[in-house]
Amino acid sequence: ESDTASEISFQLNRHKKSPSTGSHSSDMASVSSVSGSVLSVYSGDFGSVHAQGTVEFALDYDEKNREFQVHVSQCKDLAVVDEKKGRSDPYVKTYLLPDKARMGKRKTSVKKRTVNPIYNEVLRYKIEKMVLLIQKLNLSVWHNDPLGRNSFLGEIEIDLASWDWSNRKLNWYPLKPRSLSAVNGVDHRGVMSLSIKYVPPGSLGKWPKNPPSGEVHIWVKDVKDLLQLRPSGVDSFVKCYVLPDTSKKSYQKTRVIKRDTNPVFNHTIVYDGFHTEDLKDACVELTVWDHEKLTNHFLGGIRLGLGTGLSYGISVDWMDSTQEEVAFWQEMMLAANEWIEGLLPLRSL
């Protein structure tokens, strides 16, 4: 099932009078939400055409003119929209997220009857560098339909906070299908595939009573659609804590997968010392990070728990699981000794 299995003994301290201390707890800001007005921005025909092909562009910041520049070069192998006529009339559109409305959209010209359009155009935003660095660039390709709705042909999202600005060269990027979370106005950070299992004390029935205390097994399989941080992709790894314990005993991590926005980890973590009553007060926090020499960059995470806001009667900000995360944890609690499979969107924590 996994090529790396790490086992670790974990004792929850039920007698803590205060929530976990140290830098870890201060990272837990509440989930940021993006205004619902983005829905109007996403009008158009999604899903009728399969996203495919690649787009070539370069990013630059002109310090002198305080201008962000997107050099859109060309696209290759776009989807065909009008099957009968075998044609697509594509153009490229850009937004800065999360506040699309404020900075507005930019568009290239429309190229007629081609799935390999050449643009060589520069889309410009007058914006201070400091403001730019808290944005994401959403670049999408569309078929222009003057009579009906424009058809979506694919998109790419770039995190500008950690973009390598020394790279001004044109690079090719695969066009991805539209992320549902973008339509819902949530920032899209990728999706984690994982399985979890709870083994109650004594349930394996071997002598002596096995396991002596309960175990939670977490199998981190893969992550899809991580943010593109540099032309080569991203070097990612997953960290795991069982809160409220933020000690070294609770900390686990996977190996680093290099240059891949769809990393496969296949890593199993086992926490023992878990009594059944702990399941309502503990929270498994899985976070994905980009590995860099000086500092790791947070990409997104999930928190598995009951999301009650309380742990052992104390109010804590990390007990903030989403409905999907809570449902996943509850399913595990109800089905002892069974692997429960999940596909959960990463979020800002």
Side-chain angles (χ1 to χ4, degrees), residues 88-123:
S88 295
D89 300 340
Y91 67 94
V92 175
K93 177 166 77 171
T94 58
Y95 283 106
L96 291 176
L97 303 174
D99 193 355
K100 291 183 162 176
R102 196 168 66 90
M103 290 305 295
K105 65 185 169 196
R106 305 285 186 272
K107 290 186 200 174
T108 65
S109 56
V110 175
K111 302 296 175 189
K112 298 233 165 142
R113 293 185 184 80
T114 177
V115 291
N116 301 301
I118 295 172
Y119 298 102
N120 290 328
E121 294 177 39
V122 182
L123 306 178

Side-chain angles (χ1 to χ4, degrees), residues 263-300:
V264 176
F265 296 103
N266 219 11
H267 183 105
T268 307
I269 301 162
V270 176
Y271 287 101
D272 66 13
F274 238 110
H275 295 278
T276 307
E277 64 271 19
D278 291 324
L279 295 175
K280 65 182 196 307
D281 290 297
C283 168
V284 170
E285 181 184 82
L286 294 160
T287 50
V288 187
W289 298 79
D290 173 49
H291 177 67
E292 290 188 70
K293 281 195 190 83
L294 297 172
T295 174
N296 294 321
H297 183 81
F298 174 76
L299 297 173

Side-chain angles (χ1 to χ4, degrees), residues 16-86:
K16 278 194 180 159
K17 287 286 177 278
S18 64
S20 58
T21 51
S23 62
H24 195 70
S25 58
S26 63
D27 301 338
M28 312 283 182
S30 63
V31 182
S32 63
S33 60
V34 180
S35 95
S37 65
V38 291
L39 276 174
S40 60
V41 162
Y42 271 97
S43 57
D45 181 10
F46 287 101
S48 63
V49 183
H50 180 70
Q52 65 173 61
T54 52
V55 56
E56 187 187 40
F57 63 90
L59 304 183
D60 195 10
Y61 186 78
D62 179 344
E63 302 278 357
K64 188 164 151 254
N65 295 311
R66 293 180 177 166
E67 188 177 73
F68 173 48
Q69 301 171 346
V70 185
H71 299 248
V72 181
S73 169
Q74 59 182 323
C75 300
K76 267 210 179 98
D77 303 324
L78 295 175
V80 174
V81 175
D82 188 335
E83 291 288 353
K84 277 191 206 128
K85 297 183 183 139

Side-chain angles (χ1 to χ4, degrees), residues 59 68 70 94-96 136-139 156-158 160:
L59 304 183
F68 173 48
V70 185
T94 58
Y95 283 106
L96 291 176
K136 294 193 194 80
L137 171 71
N138 177 279
L139 181 146
I156 172 92
E157 221 159 85
I158 303 275
L160 299 175

Side-chain angles (χ1 to χ4, degrees), residues 21 41 150 208 212 222 251 333:
T21 51
V41 162
N150 295 340
D222 60 53
Y251 175 61
M333 289 171 73

